[in-house]
Amino acid sequence: MVRPTVLNPLFASITALPGVGPKLEKLYARLLGREGAPRMLDLLFHLPTGAIDRRARPVLREVVPDSVVTVLVTIERHRPPPPGRARAPYLIYASDGTGDLVIAYFNARKDYLERLLPIGARRYVSGTAGLYDGVLQMVHPDRVIEEAQLESLPAIEPVYPLTEGLSANPIRRAIEAALAKLPALPEWQDASFLARSGFVSFGEALRCLHRPAEPADILPSSPAWSRLAYDEFLAGQLALMLVRAHMRRASGRRSAGDGRLRARLIAALPYALTGSQTRAVADIVADLERPERMLRLLQGDVGSGKTVVALLACAAVIEAGRQAALMAPTELLARQHLTTIAPLAEASGIRVAVLTGRERGRERTDTLDRLARGEIDLLVGTHALFQRDVAFHDLALAVVDEQHRFGVHQRLALAQKGRAVDVLVMTATPIPRTLVLTYFGDMDSSELREKPAGRQPVDTRTIALHRLDEVIAAVGRALGEGRRIYWVCPLVDESETTDLAAAQARAHALTEVFGEAVDLVHGRMRGSEKDLAMARFAAGKTQLLVATTVIEVGVDVPEASIMVIEHAERFGLAQLHQLRGRIGRGAARSTCLLLYKAPLGETAKARLSILRETEDGFRIAEEDLRLRGEGDVLGTRQSGLPGFRLARIEAHGALLQAARDDAGLMLARDPELKSERGEALRMLLYLFERDEAVRLLRAG
Ligand code: ADP
Ligand code: MG
């Protein structure tokens, strides 16, 4: 499969840009959310979240305090901090004949400032001017520009999301440089549709967003952004339809065995399956017995017992002498699945192995060898499962847990590790039917609606944060009774670093009070450290586990019966529901304390009261849809849609149906994408990394 060469500049590594070396590459990888090396395209898809309007050019007398202005001033005098007071600002006095301006710098080098703002010179300075002791002052101007170079100052300056260690200016420069490499591409959209919608070309849209002429140009609702969102939707819909057509064409195999492993598994379970578990297993086995390929969604609330259903499905294909794979979104979850599965597998004679990013060297090679020889029946892991060198002897079933974290792309990659692989997708977030169609295409669905027997309801209460002392006292009493407690730390600003700081501070404070019983687990810890912390907690060696939201999905310690969630108002409804699902799993009566900072807004109030009222995930999903829009139902926060980089459901949702119709029409007319527009659409698929679908066109 060869990518059209015209796209190569966009897929070149950003290290080709001046000033971007291996060290910055790592920071960019983090900024752009890339696992591998970031490419020009990733940079160009890093869209601004705001803009600074530098068009105001008042004379000093007319400056409105606390606004962003660009003023032309003459530099009159420098006043470095007095000796012995290095912390005092370095002041530079300037004027323009109508008034005076003091430019202030903290911790700046004298020689640098003397070069930047020499006495007697005229300079444009741009930044926020405010009144300080009645004098107009600008602290650290954003820009200082020589008089003759005014045109180098962007009138509207885009503001980008940053990451620690990468500041605004280098990011802007890198994006500018990437824009310069943007090739001219053929148009893949219908010309009359573009005209009707007021959309410009793909390249124009990117230029418009990165070099806005008006602040409104960078809004998600702008024609430029909408065009890109439409492109993304169209690529997604085309890919889904191609996959579906392919699945229908490539017939499956009958893969269910005689039931002997399943019988042994069920006998080894310490509990009886619920009615809906039994039904789900029957649905799946019926699919496996049919010659068509299975594409089924298993929806069930947190704790509804999906893992055992998946294991029974795997057992069915293993009975037929084939292999199964179970893929989880995180290392932690993969290990947890393994812990649940291993004893049952042992009891029934299923050979299980694990493969994540952590298995390396001999161990990994050995696992891969056994897998290729068919000596492993079930491979549990993370996305490490579809690395190139992973080869199955005969993969018949791929189970993908927490699907919305993976793209169609990844699901396909796993399904291609075998011949006509059946696919079972598990999700803990009930998804309304309309969304199922959008994200997963035409899938069958099984739902686990009953909770396993013996599950205790969780007593959920809301408490204002200023009563923290009472909460800590109650936690102390519970620890005295030997109970185990999760303490979930606040989302600070959705940046890992600051969230982590909050968790560390809380763990520290709680350790002061409760000593050794307290432990901490967070996303920055190494996988093995995380496992150890979880294991200590599961074994009761620690009793109070302070955690960032890494415990969100799937973690299972039945003895944990209390959860404290700090700043619950900052979490989404689905996320709170997921978190709370970690307790109420054992015999003890469980309590969830939602600590909130008063006063609560209307939506936050509604969210918390829904949680107090119900534990029914399907009901919570509906309320969530009503309160916050589709994006959040799937557990993503405010920003994008799962699997989409640029599209925002609030701004672009209405385009989705049009893209679906367009894709359907196009494929009906040109199923192989061979026409002129078809060829251009292939490029679109590459741009949005749906090129697995292009391969299906060939393989089909
Ligand atoms: P989830 O649907 O969240 O993935 P799990 O599969 O992790 O749920 O199951 C949660 C817990 O419930 C596990 O400890 C599992 O052993 C237990 N469990 C599963 N099915 C039943 C059942 N029918 N009766 C009692 N406990 C069950
Ligand atoms: Mg699970």
Side-chain angles (χ1 to χ4, degrees):
M1 156 176 73
V2 187
R3 178 198 306 136
T5 50
V6 59
L7 296 179
N8 287 350
L10 291 171
F11 286 87
S13 159
I14 61 161
T15 50
L17 294 173
V20 182
K23 202 169 127 219
L24 279 185
E25 187 187 18
K26 279 218 187 73
L27 293 179
Y28 275 107
R30 190 160 89 217
L31 176 73
L32 304 171
R34 287 274 310 168
E35 302 231 329
R39 301 139 323 166
M40 301 294 175
L41 188 65
D42 302 311
L43 204 50
L44 291 174
F45 281 171
H46 190 59
L47 299 184
T49 47
I52 303 170
D53 188 341
R54 299 198 185 282
R55 287 175 299 183
R57 300 259 170 76
V59 293
L60 288 175
R61 182 165 25 90
E62 282 163 11
V63 167
V64 178
D66 300 320
S67 64
V68 173
V69 292
T70 303
V71 291
L72 178 60
V73 295
T74 305
I75 309 305
E76 294 179 341
R77 181 159 72 84
H78 279 225
R79 203 188 77 184
R85 293 195 46 216
R87 292 255 192 78
Y90 187 118
L91 301 178
I92 296 167
Y93 293 83
S95 74
D96 73 348
T98 72
D100 297 317
L101 176 71
V102 177
I103 304 169
Y105 284 91
F106 290 88
N107 300 317
R109 296 225 324 272
K110 184 166 186 289
D111 54 340
Y112 167 74
L113 292 177
E114 281 171 350
R115 257 180 292 125
L116 187 69
L117 294 158
I119 292 169
R122 277 155 60 91
R123 290 286 184 269
Y124 279 100
V125 292
S126 188
T128 309
L131 282 177
Y132 187 77
D133 277 350
V135 182
L136 197 61
Q137 202 177 74
M138 190 182 287
V139 180
H140 287 254
D142 303 329
R143 298 292 186 119
V144 174
I145 286 166
E146 291 187 22
E147 195 181 356
Q149 258 134 38
L150 181 61
E151 72 279 13
S152 75
L153 179 76
I156 310 287
E157 191 166 55
V159 175
Y160 295 99
L162 308 176
T163 190
E164 208 179 320
L166 253 184
S167 59
N169 282 331
I171 294 179
R172 270 193 217 112
R173 275 197 300 272
I175 290 178
E176 264 306 311
L179 272 180
K181 297 189 186 286
L182 188 64
L185 298 174
E187 182 56 74
W188 45 79
Q189 298 293 3
D190 178 64
S192 64
F193 170 76
L194 290 180
R196 245 182 300 132
S197 317
F199 288 172
V200 290
S201 72
F202 176 79
E204 239 353 270
L206 283 172
R207 278 188 284 270
C208 181
L209 286 161
H210 292 298
R211 296 174 188 152
E214 294 289 333
D217 287 347
I218 57 138
L219 296 178
S221 57
S222 71
W225 197 323
S226 301
R227 148 88 210 216
L228 297 180
Y230 188 80
D231 282 343
E232 185 167 36
F233 282 148
L234 186 62
Q237 294 301 313
L238 274 175
L240 276 175
M241 286 179 193
L242 288 170
V243 170
R244 241 175 286 163
H246 175 75
M247 291 288 237
R248 248 181 263 126
R249 261 198 317 269
S251 60
R253 299 187 289 164
R254 297 168 196 273
S255 286
D258 55 11
R260 92 201 114 83
L261 291 176
R262 276 169 279 161
R264 273 192 246 154
L265 271 175
I266 289 172
L269 288 176
Y271 48 77
L273 294 178
T274 63
S276 51
Q277 281 173 320
T278 308
R279 270 192 304 280
V281 173
D283 286 348
I284 295 164
V285 170
D287 285 352
L288 294 172
E289 279 169 354
R290 268 195 286 273
E292 298 87 38
R293 283 174 80 172
M294 171 173 82
L295 196 50
R296 181 173 287 276
L297 196 59
L298 177 62
Q299 304 198 60
D301 222 339
V302 172
S304 59
K306 293 185 291 296
T307 311
V308 68
V309 173
L311 181 59
L312 286 163
C314 294
V317 303
I318 296 166
E319 285 161 14
R322 297 181 186 147
Q323 290 169 302
L326 169 57
M327 179 164 77
T330 65
E331 171 96 37
L332 194 70
L333 282 172
R335 306 252 158 220
Q336 191 137 35
H337 279 308
L338 188 72
T339 315
T340 314
I341 287 171
L344 295 170
E346 170 119 19
S348 55
I350 294 175
R351 296 163 299 178
V352 181
V354 67
L355 187 70
T356 70
R358 237 204 283 161
E359 277 68 38
R360 297 221 176 86
R362 276 284 304 277
E363 192 190 0
R364 183 170 187 280
T365 325
D366 184 52
T367 301
L368 293 185
D369 286 347
R370 285 189 299 135
L371 186 70
R373 286 199 300 267
E375 292 165 17
I376 291 169
D377 301 313
L378 169 58
L379 186 61
V380 178
T382 56
H383 47 265
L385 291 188
F386 53 71
Q387 284 162 355
R388 191 154 299 195
D389 60 344
V390 178
F392 289 79
H393 177 67
D394 186 5
L395 179 66
L397 172 65
V399 182
V400 184
D401 192 10
E402 308 298 348
Q403 164 67 21
H404 59 260
R405 302 206 177 189
F406 297 107
V408 177
H409 179 70
Q410 287 154 308
R411 189 168 76 212
L412 265 174
L414 186 57
Q416 273 163 0
K417 293 270 178 206
R419 205 152 57 78
V421 176
D422 287 310
V423 178
L424 178 68
V425 170
M426 304 200 286
T427 165
T429 318
I431 304 170
R433 188 66 206 158
T434 49
L435 294 188
V436 169
L437 277 177
T438 308
Y439 300 123
F440 305 106
D442 254 334
M443 292 182 88
D444 298 309
S445 165
S446 299
E447 290 165 11
L448 300 184
R449 283 189 170 242
E450 298 159 73
K451 291 222 191 295
R455 235 4 96 71
Q456 301 269 3
V458 177
D459 179 14
T460 301
R461 302 183 199 178
T462 49
I463 301 176
L465 207 50
H466 63 77
R467 290 170 59 196
L468 187 64
D469 285 351
E470 293 167 49
V471 173
I472 290 178
V475 161
R477 285 192 298 276
L479 288 174
E481 293 164 14
R483 295 176 68 175
R484 259 170 268 173
I485 306 172
Y486 289 113
W487 188 298
V488 180
C489 277
L491 279 178
V492 176
D493 61 357
E494 304 187 1
S495 106
E496 223 182 306
T497 324
T498 34
D499 287 352
L500 174 58
Q504 281 167 330
R506 178 57 69 209
H508 183 73
L510 290 169
T511 307
E512 302 264 277
V513 186
F514 301 121
E516 296 286 279
V518 181
D519 205 353
L520 173 67
V521 61
H522 59 76
R524 284 279 182 93
M525 279 162 70
R526 292 224 321 264
S528 52
E529 291 173 358
K530 250 188 268 183
D531 292 352
L532 280 177
M534 288 309 303
R536 282 194 297 269
F537 183 65
K541 292 194 182 120
T542 56
Q543 272 182 276
L544 175 57
L545 187 63
V546 178
T548 56
T549 46
V550 290
I551 61 158
E552 186 182 334
V553 200
V555 167
D556 192 16
V557 179
E559 292 82 4
S561 62
I562 298 178
M563 176 173 286
V564 179
I565 303 179
E566 263 190 78
H567 277 290
E569 78 281 0
R570 294 186 188 163
F571 292 85
L573 191 47
Q575 201 177 16
L576 288 170
H577 175 61
Q578 291 255 354
L579 282 167
R580 181 176 57 180
R582 305 297 116 224
I583 57 172
R585 297 182 151 218
R589 186 160 174 76
S590 292
T591 307
C592 179
L593 300 178
L594 302 173
L595 306 191
Y596 65 89
K597 182 152 187 327
L600 278 179
E602 280 308 308
T603 325
K605 206 179 280 174
R607 277 205 302 260
L608 297 188
S609 76
I610 290 160
L611 280 167
R612 262 200 325 252
E613 271 167 40
T614 183
E615 283 183 69
D616 175 349
F618 286 86
R619 159 122 196 261
I620 289 173
E622 278 160 27
E623 296 287 344
D624 204 14
L625 186 62
R626 198 173 55 76
L627 285 173
R628 313 246 332 227
E630 301 180 14
D632 280 321
V633 178
L634 292 162
T636 56
R637 285 176 238 135
Q638 53 175 279
S639 57
L641 289 164
F644 292 94
R645 305 171 74 169
L646 305 177
R648 304 274 182 273
I649 200 75
E650 330 75 71
H652 309 126
L655 295 171
L656 188 54
Q657 187 60 46
R660 203 141 107 200
D661 295 346
D662 195 7
L665 216 67
M666 193 58 211
L667 288 178
R669 257 191 240 141
D670 179 15
E672 307 272 297
L673 296 183
K674 279 186 168 149
S675 62
E676 195 184 340
R677 186 177 176 209
E679 290 288 344
L681 283 168
R682 287 176 184 232
M683 265 183 221
L684 174 69
L685 290 169
Y686 278 100
L687 282 176
F688 286 96
E689 296 180 83
R690 310 291 167 133
D691 43 300
E692 288 289 342
V694 178
R695 177 152 66 178
L696 294 183
L697 281 174
R698 314 255 159 98

